[in-house]
């Protein structure tokens, strides 16, 4: 493939990546479904105590709030690791490239599935490291996949959003595990199958992913992955033909990249991380992520309570991209706010609407998060900034455990007042799109183009991006 990766190969990378993200990367967020299986098998059952009050049928039951809190703690730690470890994993990805990052991800993912497969009710504590390993491995897999958008030019942001939507959809895997368990399959057999699927990840790493990173913009002769020597040049032979000191096509883009948000490509990481633009984006992400995590962590107790105890144009295009992100940020907050309102309605049938809005809102949240960071900041800092945003939001997400304890304790299992408080918290996220809009105005004034976003200043040469 002397002429670079063809359309068939790029589509194969795109579609196989969507399958990888949709079936493996975010399975921990289907935790509520897996809890049903684990409860049925007797995990943490020793924490249940005889209830002091009779149930509706006037028989003494069991108070399993301690068991519920332990399951909630497993999810809290796992989801925290999902975000907090994204920063060091992003540094690994930026420093050592795709192959190294994916091998670490595959090792973590395989280890996590094997721990669940060989766990028993007596060794239920293995769920803590298992869920953490699945979380970190999954987030690192999707981090390496989001660069696939670079292969498709103007469709880059759309593909990043699709990948994040697939990541969110992977929460359905534990629902499938629950359904198969109810039809007789064992938990061990299903998780051994998930462990065996690591072969798929390894094959993608070798043949459909780059060793380092996919550059942006893309050079016409760019290619990636192992190739047959008899049919085309392998990566090593291509590298051997490069003049001494000259980088190969995986390292050098056709031209110096222009930051999508209008910043110069030489902007240091510290300046990006300390900017108000990034700070308010982290706040935008944190408050809505906390809302989603609390919904997942308190889903089973809430349902039991409601059921009554019954179980393109250069710099100008970059600025236009940043402007378009404002609407995306606003829509994401509006969806989360609507989802929060539905969750606060103390009527069981209304929760079906909550489920639908929660899935849609999460897709917008994580897709919008990755796309915004890719647009607003220099590409060489994407892995670190994505990891830092997720790590900082993970610190906020730790509040979910005391919130769950508050619902289980003083609020006596009724999350109504907690949900009202969360509606107010989500409103804080509206500050982020306001900050982005003001930043767009500031950059437009600096370019002397305030109010004329589609006009170029005299002497400016515009290079349109074309899809590859």
């Amino acid at each position: 493939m002397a002429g670079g990766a063809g359309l068939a190969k790029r589509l194969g990378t795109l579609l196989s990546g969507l399958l990888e993200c949709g079936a493996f990367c975010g399975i921990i967020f289907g935790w509520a479904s897996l809890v049903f299986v684990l409860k049925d098998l007797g995990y943490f059952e020793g924490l249940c105590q005889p209830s002091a009050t009779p149930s509706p049928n006037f028989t003494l039951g069991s108070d399993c709030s301690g068991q519920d809190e332990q399951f909630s703690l497993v999810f809290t730690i796992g989801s925290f690791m999902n975000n907090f470890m994204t920063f060091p994993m992003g540094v690994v990805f930026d420093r050592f490239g795709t192959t190294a990052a994916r091998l670490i991800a595959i090792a973590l993912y395989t280890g996590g599935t094997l721990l669940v497969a060989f766990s028993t009710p007596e060794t239920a504590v293995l769920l803590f490291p298992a869920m953490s390993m699945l979380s970190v491995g999954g987030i690192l897999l999707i981090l390496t996949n989001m660069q696939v958008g670079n292969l498709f030019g103007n469709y880059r942001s759309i593909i990043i959003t699709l990948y994040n939507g697939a990541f969110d959809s992977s929460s359905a895997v534990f629902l499938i595990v629950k359904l198969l368990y109810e039809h007789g399959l064992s938990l061990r057999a299903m998780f051994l199958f998930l462990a065996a699927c690591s072969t798929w990840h390894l094959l993608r790493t070798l043949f459909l992913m780059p060793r380092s990173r996919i550059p942006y913009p893309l050079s016409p002769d760019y290619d990636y992955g192992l190739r047959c020597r008899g049919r085309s040049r392998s990566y090593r032979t291509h590298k051997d033909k490069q003049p001494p000191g000259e980088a190969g096509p995986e390292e050098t883009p056709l031209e110096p990249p222009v930051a999508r948000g209008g910043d110069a490509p030489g902007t240091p990481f510290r300046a990006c991380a300390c900017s108000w633009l990034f700070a308010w984006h982290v706040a935008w992400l944190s408050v809505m992520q906390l809302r989603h995590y609390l919904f997942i962590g308190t889903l089973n107790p809430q349902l039991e309570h409601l059921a009554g105890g019954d179980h393109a144009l250069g710099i100008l295009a970059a600025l236009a991209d940043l402007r378009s992100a404002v609407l995306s940020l606003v829509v994401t907050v509006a969806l989360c706010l609507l989802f929060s309102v539905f969750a606060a309605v103390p009527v069981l049938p209304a929760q079906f609407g909550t489920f639908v809005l929660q899935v849609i809102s999460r897709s917008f949240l994580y897709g919008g998060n990755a796309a915004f960071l890719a647009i607003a900041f220099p590409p060489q800092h994407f892995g670190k900034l994505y990891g830092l945003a997720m790590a900082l939001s993970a610190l906020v997400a730790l509040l979910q455990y005391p919130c769950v304890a508050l619902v289980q304790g003083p609020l006596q299992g009724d999350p109504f007042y907690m949900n009202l408080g969360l509606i107010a918290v989500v409103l804080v996220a509206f500050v982020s799109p306001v900050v982005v809009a003001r930043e767009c105005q500031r950059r437009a004034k600096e370019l002397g183009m305030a109010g004329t976003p589609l006009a170029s200043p005299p002497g400016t040469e515009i290079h349109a991006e074309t899809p590859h």
Side-chain angles (χ1 to χ4, degrees):
M1 288 188 181
L7 179 61
K9 184 174 184 178
R10 287 183 283 132
L11 285 176
T13 302
L14 170 64
L15 296 176
S16 62
L18 284 173
L19 177 60
E20 184 174 83
C21 294
F24 303 100
C25 292
I27 62 174
I28 188 174
F29 298 107
W31 175 248
S33 297
L34 186 62
V35 166
F36 282 101
V37 178
L38 297 173
K39 279 188 173 184
D40 189 67
L41 292 172
Y43 283 67
F44 301 121
E45 196 172 42
L47 297 175
C48 291
Q49 309 247 343
S51 177
T53 58
S55 61
N57 57 2
F58 301 102
T59 59
L60 290 178
S62 296
D63 178 11
C64 290
S65 59
Q67 183 189 34
D68 289 334
E69 286 186 15
Q70 198 73 353
F71 281 126
S72 178
L73 183 59
V74 172
F75 177 75
T76 299
I77 294 176
S79 57
F80 170 78
M81 294 297 290
N82 176 275
N83 292 346
F84 187 76
M85 289 302 294
T86 307
F87 179 57
M89 292 298 101
V91 173
V92 169
F93 173 57
D94 282 349
R95 175 66 179 85
F96 298 104
T98 302
T99 299
R102 285 182 64 84
L103 290 177
I104 293 172
I106 293 168
L108 288 170
Y109 195 90
T110 307
T113 52
L114 289 175
L115 282 177
V116 177
F118 292 104
S119 67
T120 64
E122 291 73 28
T123 59
V125 290
L126 291 178
L127 293 176
F128 286 95
M131 289 301 113
S132 296
M133 292 168 75
L134 287 175
S135 292
V136 178
I139 200 69
L140 191 48
L141 281 177
I142 190 175
L143 183 61
T144 62
N145 272 303
M146 283 188 289
Q147 62 181 321
V148 172
N150 294 351
L151 295 172
F152 296 91
N154 287 342
Y155 305 104
R156 180 183 179 213
S157 296
I158 295 174
I159 290 171
I160 291 174
T161 304
L162 281 175
Y163 270 61
N164 280 272
F167 171 85
D168 187 65
S169 300
S170 63
S171 60
V173 171
F174 280 168
L175 174 60
I176 296 172
V177 168
K178 174 181 177 290
L179 295 175
L180 292 177
Y181 173 80
E182 291 172 346
H183 284 80
L185 269 70
S186 69
L187 184 69
R188 175 168 297 181
M190 288 184 283
F191 272 85
L192 285 176
F193 173 78
L194 288 175
C197 289
S198 294
T199 306
W200 162 262
H201 307 315
L202 186 59
L203 290 175
R204 282 199 77 243
T205 301
L206 295 176
F207 295 102
L208 290 176
M209 296 296 286
R211 284 191 179 184
S212 55
R213 285 180 300 277
I214 299 174
Y216 186 80
L218 215 59
S219 60
D221 62 342
Y222 176 77
D223 204 352
Y224 56 94
L226 295 180
R227 297 176 290 281
C228 177
R229 287 177 181 269
R231 298 180 60 186
S232 62
R233 296 176 296 176
S234 69
Y235 178 84
R236 184 174 297 277
T237 51
H238 182 84
K239 290 277 287 183
D240 290 341
K241 293 182 180 181
Q242 297 292 324
E246 185 176 335
E250 288 198 1
E251 283 77 21
T252 306
L254 182 63
E255 57 184 287
V258 176
R260 303 296 287 172
D263 284 336
T267 304
F269 167 71
R270 183 174 181 179
C272 296
C274 295
S275 65
W276 280 111
L277 193 67
F278 180 73
W280 277 109
H281 178 71
V282 170
W284 175 89
L285 173 65
S286 298
V287 296
M288 287 187 288
Q289 180 172 260
L290 175 63
R291 182 66 192 91
H292 284 284
Y293 281 2
L294 269 171
F295 175 76
I296 296 171
T298 61
L299 178 59
N300 288 333
Q302 179 177 359
L303 293 180
E304 289 178 5
H305 175 79
L306 293 177
D310 192 12
H311 287 90
L313 290 175
I315 294 176
L316 293 180
L319 187 56
D321 282 348
L322 191 60
R323 282 193 174 113
S324 67
V326 175
L327 179 60
S328 174
L329 296 173
V330 171
V331 170
T332 304
V333 184
L335 282 170
C336 188
L337 185 63
L338 187 59
F339 144 65
S340 300
V341 171
F342 267 69
V345 177
V347 178
L348 188 57
Q351 299 313 304
F352 290 106
T354 306
F355 299 152
V356 174
L357 287 169
Q358 198 259 346
V359 171
I360 297 173
S361 177
R362 271 181 54 82
S363 299
F364 271 78
L365 175 62
Y366 290 108
N369 170 48
F372 175 79
L373 292 174
I375 288 170
F377 298 100
Q380 66 267 30
H381 300 317
F382 175 78
K384 296 184 288 292
L385 289 172
Y386 182 85
L388 182 59
M390 298 297 282
L392 293 174
S393 67
L395 295 175
V396 178
L398 285 176
L399 293 172
Q400 65 180 299
Y401 187 68
C403 289
V404 170
L406 179 62
V407 172
Q408 294 290 340
L411 296 180
Q412 299 179 345
D414 184 0
F416 177 73
Y417 293 105
M418 177 68 69
N419 286 331
L420 289 182
L422 288 169
I423 290 174
V425 171
V426 169
L427 290 173
V428 175
F430 277 113
V431 177
S432 178
V434 173
V435 171
V436 176
R438 294 187 65 179
E439 176 67 11
C440 289
Q441 292 177 351
R442 184 189 68 80
R443 293 183 183 182
K445 288 180 180 178
E446 286 181 355
L447 294 171
M449 298 177 300
T452 56
L454 298 179
S456 59
T460 300
E461 184 178 358
I462 303 301
H463 298 282
E465 300 174 22
T466 56
H468 299 282

